[in-house]
Amino acid sequence: IVHSAGYDSIPSDLGVFDLAARVAADEAGTLTDTTLVLLGGSGGFGGGSVESLLGVLAARRDDPAMRAALDDPYTLSPDRSAEPDLGAQPDVPGARFDAVAEQWVIPFVPLGPGNARMVRRSNALLGYRYGRELRYQESIGLGSGPLSAAAARIGGAGLQALDWAVTHKPVGALLAGLIRRRSPPAGDGPSEEARRAGSFRLQIVTRTTSGARYVEDVAAQGDPGYTATALMMGQTGLAEVLTSPGGSPTGVLTPAAAYGATLLDRLRAAGMTFESRLLP
């Protein structure tokens, strides 16, 4: 079973996979502090996606055990006891200047937390190929100037407030009702024209154990959640067909653990960008 074979979480999952492969090929160590930075994009959302999100928020709000599982950075690990102790790895830490990405960032919510856990699961399933010191977060990049700092602080405070609100009764239930009223009904979503016009562009920046800094550029044309996701899901299915019997592990897998370079090659041939380079 291969989960998250669309915009959640192939750009993150395959992007880090490719970045780690480049670092290994250069004999530059393994990954340490690694940040995905969303640089730009456009797209819509459907009513079904909204209901999925509200369902997760309700579970986090109403079930303490579920909230603890969702807050655990290694909740998708195949062996939680084998994971390294790297201290706190919060999903919504507010605004910060990311020293690796060299710009002000705010959390990439609501997608970043799930993507980060998929990346950590891939690392474990692949025998910690990315490194035992991998600290991974996802963010939205706002630039490096003073205006960017101000925008990040305002945006970060707003996200922290929203995170508190949606996870506390009765505020969370009231917000869920407001969101439903302002969202498309389940089964409805962006128009065909909007889906064609969409796109996304992101970078994954890392510092390795040798002190080198690398970046992976990931991009695609088409609405991220629908057009680009359809492409990614289709290519994942073809990668399964083309993988020889016994050629991949079994169980509940991530795209990177199941198909790795085979899927990367197919996505590139289908028009997606996955490119790594060494930074000065």
Side-chain angles (χ1 to χ4, degrees):
I1 299 173
V2 180
H3 288 295
S4 297
Y7 187 53
D8 300 339
S9 304
I10 277 182
S12 312
D13 195 35
L14 271 294
V16 176
F17 176 91
D18 193 47
L19 185 61
R22 169 63 186 271
V23 170
D26 289 354
E27 298 183 350
T30 54
L31 311 186
T32 62
D33 292 328
T34 305
T35 301
L36 180 148
V37 183
L38 180 67
L39 299 176
S42 61
F45 57 89
S49 297
V50 173
E51 288 299 326
S52 296
L53 173 61
L54 293 177
V56 172
L57 293 175
R60 186 167 180 252
R61 184 179 67 242
D62 300 336
D63 185 340
M66 180 65 72
R67 182 162 58 250
L70 290 169
D71 289 343
D72 182 353
Y74 297 108
T75 197
L76 294 183
S77 173
D79 182 359
R80 181 64 180 82
S81 65
E83 294 293 350
D85 183 5
L86 301 176
Q89 299 185 65
D91 291 310
V92 189
R96 71 187 191 281
F97 186 83
D98 191 286
V100 179
E102 296 184 342
Q103 63 175 299
W104 286 93
V105 299
I106 58 175
F108 182 24
V109 290
L111 306 184
N115 292 339
R117 284 154 180 76
M118 290 292 291
V119 168
R120 295 184 191 110
R121 180 174 177 83
S122 288
N123 191 28
L125 289 171
L126 293 168
Y128 297 96
R129 187 182 302 178
Y130 307 160
R132 297 282 300 179
E133 299 174 55
L134 174 71
R135 289 177 57 88
Y136 181 80
Q137 287 186 332
E138 298 204 343
S139 63
I140 298 171
L142 297 177
S144 57
L147 291 177
S148 298
R153 291 191 178 101
I154 294 169
L159 287 173
Q160 285 183 311
L162 181 62
D163 182 63
W164 180 90
V166 298
T167 55
H168 286 77
K169 297 179 180 179
V171 181
L174 290 173
L175 278 175
L178 289 172
I179 291 169
R180 278 194 177 94
R181 284 196 292 272
R182 298 181 64 87
S183 302
D188 198 3
S191 67
E192 182 177 350
E193 181 181 7
R195 295 196 302 271
R196 284 198 304 266
S199 65
F200 71 87
R201 181 171 60 93
L202 60 87
Q203 290 183 333
I204 306 170
V205 189
T206 192
R207 193 178 301 280
T208 74
T209 50
S210 69
R213 215 163 60 98
Y214 284 79
V215 63
E216 176 88 7
D217 294 298
V218 183
Q221 184 61 37
D223 183 289
Y226 299 93
T227 304
T229 285
L231 181 147
M232 288 182 257
M233 291 182 69
Q235 293 302 328
T236 301
L238 288 169
E240 168 64 30
V241 172
L242 297 172
T243 300
S244 60
S248 64
T250 58
V252 180
L253 305 177
T254 62
Y259 310 117
T262 298
L263 181 53
L264 265 174
D265 289 344
R266 293 206 62 85
L267 292 170
R268 288 187 179 116
M272 282 191 70
T273 298
F274 286 92
E275 295 178 354
S276 59
R277 64 183 189 278
L278 175 67
L279 291 171

